[in-house]
Amino acid sequence: MDGMTYWFRHAAEPRAVPRGRQFAANALRDWGLEHMSEAVTLIASELLTNAVAATGTTKAELSYRERETLPLVAARLRVSSRTLMVEVWDTSRTLPRMRTPETDAEDGRGLPLVTLLCERWDTERHPSGGKVVYAVLPLALPPVRVAEAQVEPPPVAASREEPERLPTRVRKAGGEPKVRPDAALLTRLERLLERKLGRLVAIGA
């Protein structure tokens, strides 16, 4: 990615701003830097707005002939191993000045906003004419997506209680399996039978 550059050129008229913003978003997507899109597209938008205001027209509806007579503005995005730079060129050689906008003013907020969004910005006259205003941002790494841990269900605790004793089955040769009662159950039945027999004996006596 180091040293990659994208260019954008447009007539100095209002449509240059949203198209330049889209150009910046597309470049960031191609570089895998979508997470920087909010700051970079806003900087490109503000610098292009200033360039159009300085050299072109703010008229919304233009004929083809009017558009052909307008000067150009250009934007360039450059990315290195550590920084991303947004540059905007226009034909005016008048360098911009930072000024504090009035509370109810609709303009004059571009450079203060750029100052908040970038590491540094500056301007210089271009050798071929016009000027370049550029903003430098530190290259931010994309956010790490932590995979959701697969939570395993807790192990079922072994019960220490002995299960209820069930009758066991024994098979006699040549016959159907029969149920053999539990030993404790047999003892209770024998005692019950003894009591009943004792009562019968007493009645007979």
Side-chain angles (χ1 to χ4, degrees), residues 153-161:
V156 179
S159 174
R160 294 188 178 182
E161 297 180 2

Side-chain angles (χ1 to χ4, degrees), residues 43 83-86 117-122 134-138:
I43 289 172
T83 61
L84 189 149
M85 181 179 290
V86 183
L117 294 172
C118 70
E119 186 176 72
R120 60 185 173 88
W121 71 271
D122 207 342
Y134 62 89
V136 180
L137 297 86

Side-chain angles (χ1 to χ4, degrees), residues 6-27 40-41 44-46 48-49 52 60 62 64 67-68 72-77 88:
Y6 273 35
W7 276 96
F8 166 80
R9 294 180 179 85
H10 201 280
E13 50 106 352
R15 292 191 301 176
V17 177
R19 291 180 179 180
R21 189 165 53 241
Q22 186 61 51
F23 147 78
N26 292 343
V40 173
T41 56
S45 177
E46 294 298 331
L48 282 167
T49 297
V52 169
L62 296 171
Y64 177 79
R67 192 170 289 112
E68 286 293 305
L72 294 176
V73 294
R76 180 170 67 174
L77 264 63
V88 171

Side-chain angles (χ1 to χ4, degrees), residues 1-126:
M1 186 186 295
D2 193 6
M4 292 189 67
T5 302
Y6 273 35
W7 276 96
F8 166 80
R9 294 180 179 85
H10 201 280
E13 50 106 352
R15 292 191 301 176
V17 177
R19 291 180 179 180
R21 189 165 53 241
Q22 186 61 51
F23 147 78
N26 292 343
L28 293 172
R29 185 179 63 248
D30 290 348
W31 292 336
L33 299 174
E34 298 96 325
H35 56 285
M36 298 183 65
S37 182
E38 185 175 359
V40 173
T41 56
L42 192 51
I43 289 172
S45 177
E46 294 298 331
L47 296 184
L48 282 167
T49 297
N50 291 348
V52 169
T55 63
T57 179
T58 57
K59 184 179 177 182
E61 298 295 332
L62 296 171
S63 65
Y64 177 79
R65 180 170 297 182
E66 288 175 321
R67 192 170 289 112
E68 286 293 305
T69 61
L70 290 172
L72 294 176
V73 294
R76 180 170 67 174
L77 264 63
R78 292 193 294 172
V79 64
S80 68
S81 58
R82 294 186 177 182
T83 61
L84 189 149
M85 181 179 290
V86 183
E87 300 171 281
V88 171
W89 171 87
D90 63 58
T91 57
S92 172
R93 293 184 65 83
T94 303
L95 302 181
R97 295 185 296 112
M98 176 81 79
R99 58 190 176 89
T100 304
E102 299 294 334
T103 305
D104 56 349
E106 295 183 1
D107 56 1
R109 302 181 183 276
L111 289 179
L113 183 58
V114 170
T115 303
L116 293 174
L117 294 172
C118 70
E119 186 176 72
R120 60 185 173 88
W121 71 271
D122 207 342
T123 182
E124 59 187 21
R125 292 186 174 91
H126 197 272

